[in-house]
Amino acid sequence: MLTFWLSYLALGGFAGILAGLLGVGGGLVIVPMLTFLFTAQQLPAAYILHLALGTSLATIMFTSVSSMRAHHGRKAVDWGVVRRITPGILAGTLLGSWLAARLTTGFLKGFFVAFLYYVASQMLLGIKPKARRQLPGAVGTSGVGGLIGGVSSLVGIGGGTMTVPFLLWCNVPMHSAIGTSAAVGFPIALAGAVGYGVNGLSAAALPSHSIGFVYLPALAGVACASFATAPLGAKLAHSLPVPRLKKFFALLLIVMATKMLWSLL
């Protein structure tokens, strides 16, 4: 068990540095790595990915607070947008976690693999949406939030890979889009952690030390380490070639996605 504890800490440290350095959500790394670790740990095969998704969202619940505070201190969070989008975020994330609890690991893994390939291709090609319109009203913004929350809950991330492009498309400045996305990540993570925890309570043969689909030992190790290393990643961002590193990260995502895809065959 000590080996797995050390693995959770190492994973959290790596995810925290990546989040601070590249501005990407740790869930893109945490979910596939937890899937591999849970498989090695011989947790129930039928719920491997459910546990990885729920635990990933629970870790983001803690680490997003640090990011949100940092962006708020730089006045980069548009709280008006956060208020308008949050009702949809909460509803979509809760609905997505309810749906995920009723889907097979195979389906969830296939969906996650497709999402990883999508994000990796966006990074490799440097695709950024052009500003074409203004933000919709409260109903429209909340509706988009529902879609972002639903997809985020099915892939165990804080939603930045979708929230930032949407805000940029709506003429929100880049620094404000990133800061606002960081704030939006907290309600996604909170609703996702609650949703996976509650919807997993009735699942049979879950490992001890879990609350539904949230595995507490992994949550503790990953959250503590990523919270500690995220500031280091942010500091390194000022001295390292971030655009080039993003391309290397995209290749890493492709490798992990291909490994997960291979396990489905």
Short mmCIF file of all heavy atoms in Angstrom, two decimals, residues 99-100 108 125 154 167 238 261:
data_model
loop_
_atom_site.label_atom_id
_atom_site.label_comp_id
_atom_site.label_asym_id
_atom_site.label_seq_id
_atom_site.Cartn_x
_atom_site.Cartn_y
_atom_site.Cartn_z
N LEU A 99 -25.55 10.19 -14.75
CA LEU A 99 -25.49 9.36 -15.96
C LEU A 99 -24.27 8.45 -15.94
O LEU A 99 -24.36 7.26 -16.31
CB LEU A 99 -25.46 10.27 -17.19
CG LEU A 99 -25.35 9.59 -18.56
CD1 LEU A 99 -26.56 8.71 -18.82
CD2 LEU A 99 -25.20 10.63 -19.66
N ALA A 100 -23.12 9.00 -15.53
CA ALA A 100 -21.88 8.22 -15.52
C ALA A 100 -22.00 6.99 -14.63
O ALA A 100 -21.45 5.93 -14.94
CB ALA A 100 -20.72 9.09 -15.05
N LEU A 108 -17.34 4.80 -20.77
CA LEU A 108 -16.69 5.99 -20.21
C LEU A 108 -15.24 6.10 -20.68
O LEU A 108 -14.76 7.19 -20.98
CB LEU A 108 -16.73 5.93 -18.68
CG LEU A 108 -18.11 6.14 -18.04
CD1 LEU A 108 -18.03 5.86 -16.54
CD2 LEU A 108 -18.62 7.55 -18.28
N LEU A 125 -2.05 21.72 -32.87
CA LEU A 125 -2.32 22.60 -34.00
C LEU A 125 -2.42 24.07 -33.59
O LEU A 125 -2.50 24.95 -34.45
CB LEU A 125 -3.61 22.17 -34.70
CG LEU A 125 -3.59 20.74 -35.29
CD1 LEU A 125 -4.96 20.38 -35.85
CD2 LEU A 125 -2.52 20.62 -36.37
N LEU A 154 -18.15 13.82 -17.18
CA LEU A 154 -17.92 12.53 -17.84
C LEU A 154 -16.44 12.27 -18.11
O LEU A 154 -16.06 11.13 -18.39
CB LEU A 154 -18.68 12.47 -19.16
CG LEU A 154 -20.22 12.40 -19.05
CD1 LEU A 154 -20.85 12.48 -20.43
CD2 LEU A 154 -20.65 11.13 -18.34
N LEU A 167 -15.36 31.46 -23.78
CA LEU A 167 -15.25 32.86 -23.39
C LEU A 167 -14.46 33.67 -24.42
O LEU A 167 -14.80 34.83 -24.71
CB LEU A 167 -14.59 32.97 -22.01
CG LEU A 167 -15.42 32.39 -20.84
CD1 LEU A 167 -14.62 32.46 -19.54
CD2 LEU A 167 -16.74 33.12 -20.69
N HIS A 238 7.46 31.26 -16.13
CA HIS A 238 8.12 32.51 -16.52
C HIS A 238 9.52 32.29 -17.07
O HIS A 238 10.13 33.22 -17.59
CB HIS A 238 8.18 33.47 -15.33
CG HIS A 238 6.84 33.89 -14.84
ND1 HIS A 238 6.05 34.81 -15.50
CD2 HIS A 238 6.11 33.49 -13.76
CE1 HIS A 238 4.91 34.98 -14.85
NE2 HIS A 238 4.93 34.19 -13.78
N LEU A 261 -6.96 3.24 -25.10
CA LEU A 261 -7.70 2.67 -26.23
C LEU A 261 -7.30 1.22 -26.46
O LEU A 261 -8.14 0.36 -26.72
CB LEU A 261 -7.44 3.50 -27.49
CG LEU A 261 -8.14 3.03 -28.77
CD1 LEU A 261 -9.64 3.07 -28.61
CD2 LEU A 261 -7.68 3.88 -29.96
#
